[in-house]
Amino acid sequence: MQTTTALTSYLEQSDEVKARFAAIKERPVILEVNHLGKTYPSHQGTVEALRDVNFKIHRREFVCVIGPSGCGKSSLIRTLAGLETVTSGEILIDGNPIDGPGQDRGMVFQGYTLFPWLTVKKNVMFGLERAGKSRIEAESDALMWLDLVGLDKFADAYPHQLSGGMKQRVAIARSLATQPRILLMDEPFGALDAQTRTKMQSHLLDIWKNIDITVLFITHDLDEAVFLADRILVLKAHPGEVQELIEVPVPRPRTLDQLNSPEFLATRARVDELIHPPVTEEEGEDISARIIRLTKVTDNVE
């Protein structure tokens, strides 16, 4: 007989988890977003991507952002990175308003964005040298960061010689090498296969535990968000607004064994409820009338 795990409430926290969140809230605020709005011009008029987004992230906190398609996740992270300007509101890093890209923020994209003509080591050295470090200093620092992500033996390899997961580890090392205050990650594991993605999630948590970095991580994967995050910022679509900021009750350190724990399943169910609310008959669209048979067969598939 198959047994099922009874769901608890995602709001229930063990004493250990309560103590962890109390400690997080005592830390200084690194990133503060106040009444953020973002619009884009289009041929059909102004498109509102984000509306009145508010949240704070504390030092060394790991926050995931998730939401349905069209919720403005990419607009949010690109605005936080300074790659796009705000339409309204403000973004503060350590209490200072951002003005374009800066060394206080590192960025990791879904694509690896490595220079194919440079070796792994020189890819990591690139930002360091642009920041003013000598070649010798940049090389020493690059090797240290490659050792941290487990790729020191591949320092002289080229990107095309690496697997997808290895390329993304190089991209992470390159972003961390300039020692930003916050690491912004835009669905960095989205292009990886499931097995590699799981390994990268665990590897990222190991890196995060060993350095002074705050992480804001965009994802569309519910399991990934619950597995990685201290808190999950759930956005709704059209325009992107904050639905809920969930404190994940799953204890740390995180392991794959927790994927079926009551705390994990309850949190995942809540995120799923927010992202995929029930569709009423009036809201739904009947597409059955447009489905026609395009093949002649004697055996039906059902």
Side-chain angles (χ1 to χ4, degrees):
M1 180 178 178
Q2 186 177 6
T3 59
T4 57
T5 304
L7 289 185
T8 184
S9 170
Y10 75 103
L11 296 173
E12 293 181 11
Q13 297 178 355
S14 66
D15 291 341
E16 175 189 357
V17 172
K18 288 179 182 177
R20 174 172 174 76
F21 279 114
I24 288 174
K25 292 169 186 175
E26 290 296 319
R27 300 175 193 161
V29 172
I30 296 293
L31 173 68
E32 184 173 357
V33 177
N34 296 319
H35 306 291
L36 178 64
K38 179 64 180 175
T39 61
Y40 298 95
S42 74
H43 294 299
Q44 289 76 36
T46 300
V47 176
E48 188 176 21
L50 298 168
R51 176 188 293 173
D52 197 29
V53 174
N54 297 274
F55 63 92
K56 297 178 181 179
I57 298 180
H58 296 266
R59 174 176 165 266
R60 297 208 69 210
E61 191 175 7
F62 199 125
V63 173
C64 284
V65 180
I66 196 167
S69 177
C71 71
K73 297 189 296 291
S74 293
S75 295
L76 174 62
I77 200 166
R78 288 181 63 82
T79 305
L80 295 177
L83 300 176
E84 297 186 12
T85 58
V86 302
T87 303
S88 59
E90 63 177 358
I91 301 170
L92 306 176
I93 302 288
D94 291 323
N96 301 310
I98 68 166
D99 182 20
Q103 289 189 18
D104 51 7
R105 284 149 288 148
M107 183 79 175
V108 180
F109 299 90
Q110 180 173 337
Y112 311 118
T113 62
L114 300 178
F115 300 123
W117 60 88
L118 295 180
T119 64
V120 164
K121 179 177 65 179
K122 289 183 177 179
N123 263 283
V124 180
M125 290 173 59
F126 181 82
L128 293 167
E129 291 182 304
R130 286 182 63 88
K133 290 204 172 186
S134 68
R135 185 187 62 80
I136 294 176
E137 288 178 309
E139 183 175 19
S140 176
D141 285 358
L143 290 174
M144 179 190 71
W145 287 105
L146 287 173
D147 182 52
L148 179 70
V149 300
L151 289 176
D152 51 309
K153 294 180 180 179
F154 295 87
D156 295 322
Y158 286 87
H160 74 271
Q161 297 173 304
L162 305 181
S163 68
M166 294 167 72
K167 291 177 185 177
Q168 202 59 294
R169 277 190 276 166
V170 177
I172 292 171
R174 185 176 63 181
S175 295
L176 292 175
T178 54
Q179 300 186 44
R181 298 284 285 154
I182 184 167
L183 183 64
L184 305 170
M185 309 187 78
D186 189 5
E187 301 198 44
F189 307 148
L192 303 178
D193 63 85
Q195 184 176 6
T196 303
R197 184 173 188 148
T198 299
K199 290 180 180 178
M200 286 299 299
Q201 291 164 0
S202 296
H203 200 77
L204 176 60
L205 289 180
D206 287 338
I207 295 170
W208 170 65
K209 285 187 294 187
N210 285 291
I211 61 175
D212 185 1
I213 193 70
T214 304
V215 181
L216 186 140
F217 188 105
I218 301 289
T219 182
H220 65 272
D221 186 286
L222 277 65
D223 290 326
E224 183 169 70
V226 179
F227 182 70
L228 293 176
D230 290 316
R231 293 187 295 161
I232 302 173
L233 180 70
V234 185
L235 298 177
K236 67 178 182 179
H238 310 304
E241 296 181 272
V242 177
Q243 291 198 78
E244 190 170 346
L245 191 53
I246 298 173
E247 295 183 349
V248 178
V250 182
R252 292 194 186 276
R254 302 279 167 79
T255 66
L256 296 179
D257 294 336
Q258 294 170 312
L259 295 179
N260 289 317
S261 69
E263 299 90 352
F264 191 100
L265 295 175
T267 308
R268 189 193 189 284
R270 176 55 178 166
V271 177
D272 189 35
E273 178 185 28
L274 291 170
I275 295 176
H276 305 113
V279 178
T280 65
E281 186 174 341
E282 292 78 13
E283 294 173 325
E285 182 182 3
D286 183 11
I287 63 171
S288 59
R290 295 198 296 273
I291 298 177
I292 59 174
R293 190 158 182 144
L294 298 176
T295 185
K296 293 181 180 180
V297 293
T298 58
D299 289 333
N300 288 319
V301 294
E302 295 182 344

